[in-house]
Amino acid sequence: MPGGSPQTLRPFLTRAAQLYPETEIVSRTHEGMVRYDYDEYADRAAQLANALSAAGFGDGDRIGTFCWNHHRHFETYFGVPSMGAQLHTINPLLPDKHVQYIVENAQDRAIFVDASFLPKLEGAVADDPDPFDSVEQFVVMGESVPETDLDAVAYESFVEGHATEYDWPALEEERPAGLCYTSGTTGQPKGVEYTQQMLWSHTMAIQSPQGIPLADDDVMMPVVPMFHVNAWGLPFSATAGGAKHVYPGPQPEPADLARLIEEEGVTVTAGVPTVWLGLMEYVKENDVDLSTLDRLVVGGSAAPEAMIRFFDDHGVELVHAWGMTETSPVGSVAHLKSDLEDADYETQLEKRSKQGLITPGLEYRVIDDDGNDVPQDGEAFGELHIRGPWVTTEYFARPEATEEEFEDGYLKTGDVVSVDEDGYIKIVDRAKDVIKSGGEWISSQELENALMAHDAVAEAAVIGVPHERWQERPLALVVPVDGADTSALDDELRDHILAEYPKWWVPDAVVTIEEVPKTATGKFNKQALRAEYGDESLVEGRVPDDAAPES
């Protein structure tokens, strides 16, 4: 074909094994710490491919994984798609009915599962076995199989004895390589297929200086789960750059993350804000050496400004990124433009607090309710539409969803955004979470970040509650930090918001809760909060006439 070989994943692995054979891959597992290098990794990826071929799996088959972040899971990242099969990472934290639907919809032929997730998978199978009719093989990620009702084999037994060389096929760019499903918070999960070319181009884009580049002197630790959009593509880009990998394993606590950063010299890590809120609290209470850590990537939801300041004070650059399952996932990164490098700290912070600049290779537009383009002034906002080489154009086996959520080749993201004069995208809210009060919009995310900037607040979520006069009013649900005086927290936080925002933005009430419920991907579960706290009596009569927007 013109231009040489097709754009596929395998050359990233080949290069890493040839140029950096002794660079380490480190993994925290149920069985302890595991260490090996790219040379051994390439051998094991080939063994996995041979084992799958010997078991009758191959061309076009979907292979599911039900796993944490560890070296065996990483072996499937190259071993499965490079042999022509399709890697389907399944979120083990989803409800059983969603797991059943996903396996049935994908028609997975094999599932690789962590021992700790066996009870969850057994429950999903036992509750409704029909969706698992396609599954011919369960493989437990370990050296042995615990007692289980599933007919399973241990991973090490599965690959043992197979050759460490594999005749990797020449694959076409459009060959499906990956499959991931949305979390399904507003209905059935939707499948997104990634072709070889999509994953190749996404990897090359985030390896650019305006992405999340990883070099051979980096040590990358993805805390974002490998079942969540391929850990944001970092295992692929770390391999492309020849970086050392560190996998934090099952359910890492802040102490585990701190230890791995210190002992393995982690330079780049990534995860959702709730992970880093936990690490922040741990660092405050313990002597933690973060000196090797250069960059901490945050996505999934907005990082509070206080978090950015905290890590700045510890010499760690917090890098905001935005993306979706449908965008493979990285769509924007908040790097400073060269003409902002000499700006004052507050100006820089304001830019870095946004979701950033569109990733090179993508196109976007912002559309208002009337279908018009929104001006790039930092104030007007609308729905973000995006398209490009690694943005899907359809959903897997869901034509009705495809018709609803794509237009003119653009994905309609459902994110309400503004774009400032420098091109920095700011997520104002999810379309379903923005609060409409008296004909005006209130950003729940902005209020949450403002609340979490208060010293007494560990976590905060804001939802819209029905109101007879104003349509909706904001209700704040906060988790106080340990030891905080909550006797006057309601008034104190309302005054805190009023210092920065107009009266009609101030939550009508502040409710103290023990924990903000999370979705399967670690985001605040607004749907659950609305179900429990969406009673208009919580805000009825609280908002004075002058606290509403002017008509």
Side-chain angles (χ1 to χ4, degrees), residues 52-65:
L52 287 167
S53 295
F57 305 121
D59 190 18
D61 288 332
R62 280 177 282 279
I63 308 298
T65 62

Side-chain angles (χ1 to χ4, degrees), residues 226-244:
M226 294 173 77
F227 54 74
H228 186 201
V229 206
N230 302 321
W232 299 346
L234 294 173
F236 295 130
S237 58
T239 305
K244 173 181 173 179

Side-chain angles (χ1 to χ4, degrees), residues 159 166 168 174 181 198 229 260 279 333 336 362 528:
V159 302
Y166 186 80
W168 300 106
E174 295 309 309
Y181 281 72
M198 287 172 70
V229 206
L260 288 170
L279 182 61
V333 183
L336 289 175
L362 300 181

Side-chain angles (χ1 to χ4, degrees), residues 292-343:
T292 65
L293 191 58
D294 295 326
R295 288 170 289 159
L296 188 156
V297 183
V298 177
S301 57
E305 187 177 288
M307 181 187 292
I308 303 176
R309 292 181 185 272
F310 176 88
F311 283 105
D312 279 351
D313 291 342
H314 286 77
V316 180
E317 179 189 9
L318 188 149
V319 180
H320 243 144
W322 168 87
M324 304 174 67
T325 305
E326 292 88 339
T327 61
S328 301
V330 178
S332 68
V333 183
H335 290 300
L336 289 175
K337 286 184 168 182
S338 59
D339 58 358
L340 291 167
E341 290 178 357
D342 294 327

Side-chain angles (χ1 to χ4, degrees), residues 418-467:
S418 64
V419 183
D420 68 19
E421 63 281 356
D422 291 310
Y424 284 82
I425 298 168
K426 178 181 180 180
I427 304 292
V428 176
D429 226 328
R430 288 293 293 168
K432 62 182 181 293
D433 292 333
V434 72
I435 300 165
K436 193 167 189 178
S437 183
E440 299 291 341
W441 295 105
I442 297 173
S443 167
S444 67
Q445 282 194 12
E446 198 160 338
L447 286 178
E448 288 161 2
N449 287 338
L451 288 165
M452 285 188 284
H454 192 282
D455 291 340
V457 176
E459 290 184 336
V462 176
I463 60 172
V465 176
H467 192 277

Side-chain angles (χ1 to χ4, degrees), residues 251-313:
Q251 295 177 296
E253 297 292 332
D256 299 315
L257 300 179
R259 178 179 58 80
L260 288 170
I261 290 169
E262 290 182 333
E263 294 181 359
E264 303 300 333
V266 173
T267 63
V268 181
T269 185
V272 297
T274 50
V275 168
W276 308 125
L277 287 169
L279 182 61
M280 280 173 57
E281 294 306 311
Y282 184 81
V283 170
K284 289 176 184 177
E285 298 170 3
N286 298 273
D287 182 18
V288 179
D289 181 5
L290 299 178
S291 60
T292 65
L293 191 58
D294 295 326
R295 288 170 289 159
L296 188 156
V297 183
V298 177
S301 57
E305 187 177 288
M307 181 187 292
I308 303 176
R309 292 181 185 272
F310 176 88
F311 283 105
D312 279 351
D313 291 342

Side-chain angles (χ1 to χ4, degrees), residues 463-467 473 475 477 526-539:
I463 60 172
V465 176
H467 192 277
R473 290 296 303 154
L475 171 72
L477 301 132
K526 299 288 189 73
Q527 187 177 17
L529 290 172
R530 281 190 285 266
E532 185 170 357
Y533 297 98
D535 188 341
E536 60 187 301
S537 65
L538 287 171
V539 299

